[in-house]
């Protein structure tokens, strides 16, 4: 079956540091890949997505590139802010050609804390 | 739009009691999902509906769990009887079919504590 593996956290950084959160996946077909963010006390929100190999998703300074050859979708940001403190989830969805049915397989989540 | 609305936000109950969690999806969304989040297992899909019909309930842990969607604007997840290991955050999410930027909208969750 499908699975998603994220780097273990928590991750603690100083403001303006570079962020990388690793994500690798196992899937039988051609999944769409997502990063979701969960702020304290809130539900998950879609941060960015990529639907095919070599696509780069980006939003709010975060980026991730769909690497089919390494089955990875690492999240990066060049300069983090205190407001980026949250839990980040990598996820994939079944379906081909970028179709997302919403049945997501999530990674375990990585807690990010950014200090001033 | 008000977003996905879940109630209650917090529920504390005793082992053996019945618990009912409620969800109102975004109007016009035809898919509804129930997820459970725990430290040990992360986020797990329990069940999802399409046009009020349950499509996949393979994630429902056992017969103590049941979910219904009597109409397009309301769904419940019921646990009877509840057990301490059911303690978790339960999320409801909805989405609509089609569109260039399909995405799943999550509610704020129900924090369930079973003592």
């Amino acid at each position: 079956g499908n699975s998603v593996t994220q780097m273990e956290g928590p991750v603690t950084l100083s403001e303006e540091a570079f962020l990388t959160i690793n994500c690798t996946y196992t899937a039988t077909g051609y999944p769409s890949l997502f990063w979701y963010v969960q702020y304290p006390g809130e539900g998950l929100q879609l941060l960015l997505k990529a639907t095919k190999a070599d696509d780069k998703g980006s939003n709010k300074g975060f980026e991730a590139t769909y690497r089919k050859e390494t089955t990875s979708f690492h999240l990066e940001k060049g300069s983090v802010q205190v407001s980026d403190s949250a839990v980040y989830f990598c996820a994939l969805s079944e379906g081909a050609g970028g179709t997302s049915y919403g049945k997501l397989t999530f990674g375990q989540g990585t807690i990010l804390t950014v200090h001033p | 739009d008000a977003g996905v609305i879940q109630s209650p936000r917090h529920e504390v109950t005793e082992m053996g009691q019945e618990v009912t969690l409620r969800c109102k999806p975004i109007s016009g969304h035809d898919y509804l999902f129930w997820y459970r989040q725990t430290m040990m297992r992360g986020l797990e899909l329990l069940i999802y509906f399409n046009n009020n019909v349950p499509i996949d309930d393979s994630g429902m842990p056992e017969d103590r769990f049941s979910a219904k969607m009597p109409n397009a604007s309301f769904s419940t997840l019921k646990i009877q009887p509840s057990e301490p290991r059911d303690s978790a955050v339960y999320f409801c999410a909805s989405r609509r079919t089609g569109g260039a930027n399909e995405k799943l909208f999550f509610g704020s969750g129900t924090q369930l504590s079973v003592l």
Side-chain angles (χ1 to χ4, degrees), chain B residues 80-97:
Chain B
Q80 167 62 19
S82 58
E83 297 182 2
R85 61 194 169 115
D86 302 330
S87 298
V89 181
Y90 291 81
F91 287 104
C92 176
S94 71
R95 62 174 285 273
R96 63 175 179 86
T97 302

Side-chain angles (χ1 to χ4, degrees), chain B residues 51-107:
Chain B
N51 292 321
N52 313 336
V53 176
I55 303 301
D56 184 352
D57 65 354
S58 59
M60 297 285 263
E62 47 197 277
D63 291 345
R64 298 184 298 106
F65 286 70
S66 63
K68 294 182 180 179
M69 192 164 187
N71 57 61
S73 59
F74 184 65
S75 177
T76 59
L77 178 67
K78 185 175 294 186
I79 308 172
Q80 167 62 19
S82 58
E83 297 182 2
R85 61 194 169 115
D86 302 330
S87 298
V89 181
Y90 291 81
F91 287 104
C92 176
S94 71
R95 62 174 285 273
R96 63 175 179 86
T97 302
N101 292 305
E102 293 180 73
K103 57 182 179 181
L104 208 55
F105 291 81
F106 281 79

Side-chain angles (χ1 to χ4, degrees), chain B residues 44-56:
Chain B
E44 305 171 275
L45 176 65
L46 300 178
I47 184 171
Y48 79 95
F49 296 82
N50 179 218
N51 292 321
N52 313 336
V53 176
I55 303 301
D56 184 352

Side-chain angles (χ1 to χ4, degrees), chain A residues 6-70:
Chain A
Q6 286 182 235
M7 66 182 291
E8 293 187 10
V11 174
T12 303
L13 296 173
S14 297
E15 206 164 25
E16 300 184 2
F18 184 85
L19 169 70
T20 300
I21 301 177
N22 290 338
C23 171
T24 57
Y25 67 90
T26 301
T28 53
Y30 301 93
S32 293
L33 301 175
F34 305 84
W35 277 99
Y36 279 80
V37 59
Q38 182 182 25
Y39 297 105
E42 298 183 11
L44 282 71
Q45 306 171 28
L46 179 66
L47 180 59
L48 53 85
K49 65 184 273 189
T51 58
K52 61 183 187 296
D54 299 325
D55 265 3
K56 177 185 283 188
S58 61
N59 185 26
K60 300 181 181 180
F62 291 89
E63 293 183 340
T65 301
Y66 190 145
R67 301 287 189 198
K68 192 171 187 298
E69 64 277 13
T70 55

Side-chain angles (χ1 to χ4, degrees), chain A residues 51-91:
Chain A
T51 58
K52 61 183 187 296
D54 299 325
D55 265 3
K56 177 185 283 188
S58 61
N59 185 26
K60 300 181 181 180
F62 291 89
E63 293 183 340
T65 301
Y66 190 145
R67 301 287 189 198
K68 192 171 187 298
E69 64 277 13
T70 55
T71 62
S72 65
F73 192 56
H74 304 323
L75 182 69
E76 297 182 337
K77 186 174 185 181
S79 177
V80 294
Q81 304 301 312
V82 172
S83 57
D84 294 327
S85 298
V87 184
Y88 292 82
F89 292 89
C90 185

